[in-house]
Amino acid sequence: MNVRERFAEVFGRPPEGVWRAPGRINLIGEHTDYNDGLVLPFALPMGVSVAAARRDDGVLEVRSLQAGGETVRVPVAGGSVSGWATYPVGMAWVLHEYGIGGASLLVDSDLPQGAGLSSSAALLCATGLALCDLYGVEVERPELARLAQRAEWDFAGVPSGLMDPSASLLATAGHALMLDCRSGLSSRVPFAPEEAGLTLLAIDTRAGHTLADGGYARRRAECERAAGLLGVAALRDVKDLAGALGSLRDPVLRRRVQHVVTENHRVEAAVGLLRAGAAAELGALLTASHLSLRDQFEVSWPQADAVVDAATRAGARGGRMVGGGFGGSVIVLTAADRAERTRAAVEEAFAARGWAAPAFLAATPSQGARRLA
Ligand code: GLA
């Protein structure tokens, strides 16, 4: 039974429509978004669908096919909730100012949660599109991305950046999205690995991941502290890396700055390679990004390091952890005819350490959020 039929069963009437927003993988540009920097994500084929219909009593009722449990009901003007429902409720609360009213929402997801693939942004964006369409509220997508970010900050208490909702709302099939997180301007960069004889493997390491547990917020605070000491608005503005490193006394802050500044350069290099039709050369940049996230930003985790190590030994072009870190997923770029060998090497590395087997996902750059029916 699909989400439309389940909606009728749960709420006793048909939905007015179904909206879908994808998860994302960030090709490169990690921990740069909240430093006003550059990112290069693309949308996944997997995502979150929301079947929805208006209610005229100002109440938002939400239910998830995956999370189970009761239907959550709160006034659209704001109410207290916890867990997954925080996201749709937070989005509705932010959009309330724009004139949306009550609604029934049924959420269905084929995106693994906690895999660092942005299931929360997908939920925010699918909900946001659904509510705007239902109430005829016109919000440009870059603005909707900012509203989704605000909902996550204010309701879920996670100080995430602009990348995830922007990727979900603005990405297009066969492309990555180069986003300047200061100006909010974005452009599409052709990225179709198969056409270049390459395979991009996305690997859920099955190691726990949550942004709410403090490590992410601490990194963000360190970056802000470093920018303050360097007298710049954001680490994006550091042009003379050697000079900046020379003037910071705290070795931890030096490492954070080293990562952010070099990572922005890697995004620019990656965009240049893709535009030149040299996607295979991205591999070395991915691995350089991983080493920087491991050693300078210190957000990698043992399973991610093992994937990159096993994959590059097996002849892959390169790979790196994606997302906030401390668990989640890894991408590996390999020649298509080495993909099987790479995959087997990663599986063996996990088995040898007694870790749960990793899950391999389809990482085809896909369409962004849209109305399905
Ligand atoms: C998480 C956040 C993003 C971004 C990444 C790190 O995924 O949600 O905004 O900061 O971490 O690049």
Side-chain angles (χ1 to χ4, degrees):
M1 206 182 281
N2 63 30
V3 67
R4 173 174 276 278
E5 290 158 352
R6 291 298 299 275
F7 184 100
E9 207 180 71
V10 171
F11 295 116
R13 59 193 174 124
E16 291 177 57
V18 179
W19 290 261
R20 181 172 172 84
R24 62 94 188 95
I25 276 182
N26 187 18
L27 192 53
I28 199 157
E30 219 65 88
H31 288 277
T32 46
D33 62 349
Y34 56 82
N35 288 299
D36 275 4
L38 308 173
V39 293
L40 190 62
F42 62 86
L44 285 168
M46 293 82 78
V48 173
S49 297
V50 170
R54 281 168 288 184
R55 285 176 66 101
D56 57 16
D57 59 359
V59 167
L60 185 79
E61 55 177 2
V62 293
R63 191 170 173 135
S64 154
L65 289 178
Q66 281 70 39
E70 297 292 298
T71 302
V72 175
R73 286 191 185 82
V74 288
V76 160
S80 108
V81 286
S82 59
W84 71 271
T86 314
Y87 294 96
V89 168
M91 194 71 221
W93 170 74
V94 166
L95 285 170
H96 185 53
E97 275 175 28
Y98 289 70
I100 65 120
S104 308
L105 306 176
L106 184 65
V107 174
D108 186 18
S109 171
D110 58 4
L111 203 56
Q113 265 189 22
L117 304 175
S118 207
S119 53
S120 44
L123 177 53
L124 287 164
C125 295
T127 304
L129 271 193
L131 292 172
C132 287
D133 270 9
L134 284 177
Y135 282 94
V137 170
E138 285 185 20
V139 180
E140 297 285 334
R141 289 193 173 208
E143 170 72 2
L144 192 57
R146 289 205 185 268
L147 294 177
Q149 185 190 19
R150 207 174 111 205
E152 188 154 22
W153 279 61
D154 292 356
F155 250 65
V158 179
S160 56
L162 196 55
M163 168 169 67
D164 304 345
S166 303
S168 187
L169 288 166
L170 301 173
T172 49
H175 294 84
L177 182 83
M178 151 85 149
L179 174 71
D180 181 324
C181 297
R182 171 168 279 166
S183 67
L185 294 178
S186 61
S187 60
R188 294 167 185 174
V189 184
F191 180 49
E194 333 67 61
E195 285 172 23
L198 298 165
T199 299
L200 188 72
L201 298 169
I203 303 159
D204 175 0
T205 65
R206 298 264 178 84
H209 157 88
T210 163
L211 292 183
D213 71 0
Y216 182 85
R218 260 201 310 283
R219 291 301 179 283
R220 194 173 174 131
E222 287 161 355
C223 290
E224 277 164 17
R225 204 159 68 241
L229 289 169
L230 294 168
V232 290
L235 292 184
R236 152 76 173 269
D237 301 310
V238 173
K239 300 292 174 230
D240 172 11
L241 177 60
L245 296 180
S247 73
L248 286 172
R249 294 195 10 222
D250 180 342
V252 171
L253 296 190
R254 281 206 295 270
R255 291 201 292 278
R256 306 303 184 247
V257 171
Q258 166 94 29
H259 169 72
V260 174
V261 174
T262 57
E263 186 77 351
N264 274 320
H265 286 295
R266 282 187 286 272
V267 176
E268 287 183 326
V271 170
L273 289 173
L274 284 176
R275 290 205 192 285
E281 303 301 322
L282 279 179
L285 288 175
L286 299 183
T287 304
S289 170
H290 183 78
L291 298 181
S292 179
L293 288 158
R294 186 190 72 184
D295 301 337
Q296 312 297 336
F297 219 66
E298 297 172 287
V299 291
S300 189
W301 64 102
Q303 285 83 347
D305 297 339
V307 171
V308 175
D309 186 51
T312 46
R313 280 173 200 274
R317 310 267 335 185
R320 67 178 206 86
M321 55 153 281
V322 294
F326 311 107
S329 298
V330 175
I331 51 173
V332 166
L333 186 70
T334 166
D337 58 8
R338 288 191 185 206
E340 259 325 299
R341 195 201 298 179
T342 303
R343 186 183 164 130
V346 170
E347 280 169 340
E348 273 164 33
F350 273 51
R353 291 168 173 84
W355 291 335
F360 291 80
L361 309 165
T364 312
S366 302
Q367 206 182 339
R370 66 208 179 273
R371 184 175 187 153
L372 289 185

